[in-house]
């Protein structure tokens, strides 16, 4: 299977060893593209800060070290079983939440409970003085027992970026990533729960501030929304920004 991953240049695969599934991850270089970096330079928006440039070897070493650290802190993450020059070998933590939501017919209450479980892991990471860097809902898993874990920690940031800004970016990406569920009530529950768990009372002001800075985009999206000219994903962006603009 490893040779097949090398030939096909696959990023993720799995092995079954001693009746246990082991996930195999090919580590890749991390880098924000030129457009991303250019837009950040022009807008100075914290949510668009570029990730640090790392080689595949550096990316592998960083993720392995971070998983070990977070695991020792009691945060639900895959256990590093081993690694070589190209691959990380990780314990099985289940199916990613984006796929889980697609495959299962869940009520709004059930989805919200799972999202709040994922948020709990993000809040624990932040309370430990760390960050995720890829906090979208696709980067959390759920196993057969309902345990939610955080995955995919290859991205990092240059030391010049304040931790509080990176954590803000985490929460914004987290909110944005489940906008396709189409239930604005979830946004309020997530924000309130995050503040309760982290005591970061400034986060609500910063979220509203971001929506204010994006007001021209919000107005443009609102115009197209009235005429049903927005894709499902872009409509989700509009829904989130509109909600954030109404925060006290």
């Amino acid at each position: 299977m490893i040779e097949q991953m090398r030939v096909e240049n696959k990023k993720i695969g799995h092995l079954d060893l001693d009746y246990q599934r082991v996930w195999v991850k090919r580590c890749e270089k991390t880098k924000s593209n030129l457009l991303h970096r250019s837009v950040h330079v022009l807008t100075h928006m914290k949510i668009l800060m570029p990730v640090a440039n790392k080689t595949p070897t550096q990316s592998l070493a960083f993720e392995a070290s971070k998983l070990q650290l977070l695991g020792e802190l009691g945060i639900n993450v895959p256990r590093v079983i081993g690694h070589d020059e190209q691959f990380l070998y990780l314990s099985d933590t289940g199916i990613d939440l984006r796929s889980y939501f697609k495959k299962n017919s869940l009520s709004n209450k059930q989805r919200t409970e799972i999202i709040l479980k994922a948020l709990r892991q993000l809040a624990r990471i932040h309370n430990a003085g760390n960050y995720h860097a890829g906090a979208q809902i696709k980067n959390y898993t759920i196993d057969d027992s309902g345990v939610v874990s955080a995955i995919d920690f290859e991205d990092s940031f240059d030391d010049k970026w304040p931790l509080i800004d990176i954590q803000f970016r985490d929460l914004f990406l987290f909110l944005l990533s489940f906008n396709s569920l189409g239930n604005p009530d979830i946004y309020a529950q997530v924000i309130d729960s995050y503040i309760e768990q982290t005591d970061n009372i400034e986060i609500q002001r910063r979220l509203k501030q971001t929506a204010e800075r994006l007001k021209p985009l919000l107005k443009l999206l609102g115009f197209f929304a009235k005429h049903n000219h927005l894709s499902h994903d872009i409509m989700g962006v509009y829904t989130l920004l509109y909600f954030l603009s109404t925060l006290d």
Side-chain angles (χ1 to χ4, degrees), residues 225-243:
K226 288 180 181 178
H227 297 84
N228 297 317
H229 291 325
L230 293 181
S231 68
H232 186 69
D233 287 342
I234 300 301
M235 187 65 191
V237 175
Y238 170 71
T239 302
L240 173 60
L241 291 178
Y242 180 81
F243 172 80

Side-chain angles (χ1 to χ4, degrees), residues 71-176:
E72 290 172 353
L73 293 172
I75 296 164
N76 296 344
V77 294
R79 179 171 54 88
V80 178
I81 297 172
H83 63 83
D84 55 29
E85 293 183 355
Q86 284 187 292
F87 298 100
L88 270 176
Y89 301 90
L90 306 170
S91 63
D92 182 22
T93 56
I95 183 174
D96 73 90
L97 291 190
R98 187 168 62 179
S99 298
Y100 183 80
F101 289 147
K102 288 181 179 179
K103 291 181 178 180
N104 294 275
S105 179
L106 303 172
S107 66
N108 284 337
K109 181 180 179 181
Q110 289 172 318
R111 283 197 298 266
T112 300
E113 288 175 349
I114 293 171
I115 287 171
L116 291 177
K117 283 185 178 182
L119 178 71
R120 173 60 179 157
Q121 299 310 310
L122 180 61
R124 293 175 72 189
I125 291 169
H126 288 182
N127 286 338
N130 217 309
Y131 61 85
H132 192 304
Q136 301 94 318
I137 206 71
K138 67 178 182 177
N139 289 331
Y140 298 84
T141 58
I142 185 168
D143 66 14
D144 293 338
S145 300
V147 175
V148 172
S149 302
I151 62 171
D152 282 352
F153 290 94
E154 65 266 30
D155 283 337
S156 61
F157 297 92
D158 292 335
D159 292 339
K160 66 180 180 180
W161 300 116
L163 177 63
I164 192 171
D165 290 342
I166 302 174
Q167 292 179 341
F168 172 73
R169 177 185 182 273
D170 271 352
L171 183 63
F172 190 89
L173 289 180
F174 187 84
L175 289 165
L176 188 61

Side-chain angles (χ1 to χ4, degrees), residues 10-108:
K10 293 175 63 176
K11 183 177 179 180
I12 297 290
H14 64 82
L15 297 169
D16 292 316
L17 299 175
D18 297 327
Y19 304 103
Q20 292 186 346
R21 174 160 291 186
V22 175
W23 286 97
V24 183
K25 177 178 180 179
R26 175 198 292 270
C27 287
E28 301 176 330
K29 67 179 181 180
T30 62
K31 181 179 181 180
S32 294
N33 62 39
L34 178 60
L35 177 60
H36 183 160
R37 288 183 279 120
S38 299
V39 172
H40 176 261
V41 168
L42 291 172
T43 64
H44 301 287
M45 295 197 71
K46 310 298 184 186
I47 58 175
L48 295 175
M49 68 176 68
V51 300
N53 295 346
K54 296 195 301 295
T55 66
T57 301
Q58 292 170 329
S59 175
L60 185 150
F62 177 83
E63 182 164 14
S65 176
K66 189 162 186 174
L67 285 171
Q68 182 174 351
L69 171 63
L70 295 178
E72 290 172 353
L73 293 172
I75 296 164
N76 296 344
V77 294
R79 179 171 54 88
V80 178
I81 297 172
H83 63 83
D84 55 29
E85 293 183 355
Q86 284 187 292
F87 298 100
L88 270 176
Y89 301 90
L90 306 170
S91 63
D92 182 22
T93 56
I95 183 174
D96 73 90
L97 291 190
R98 187 168 62 179
S99 298
Y100 183 80
F101 289 147
K102 288 181 179 179
K103 291 181 178 180
N104 294 275
S105 179
L106 303 172
S107 66
N108 284 337

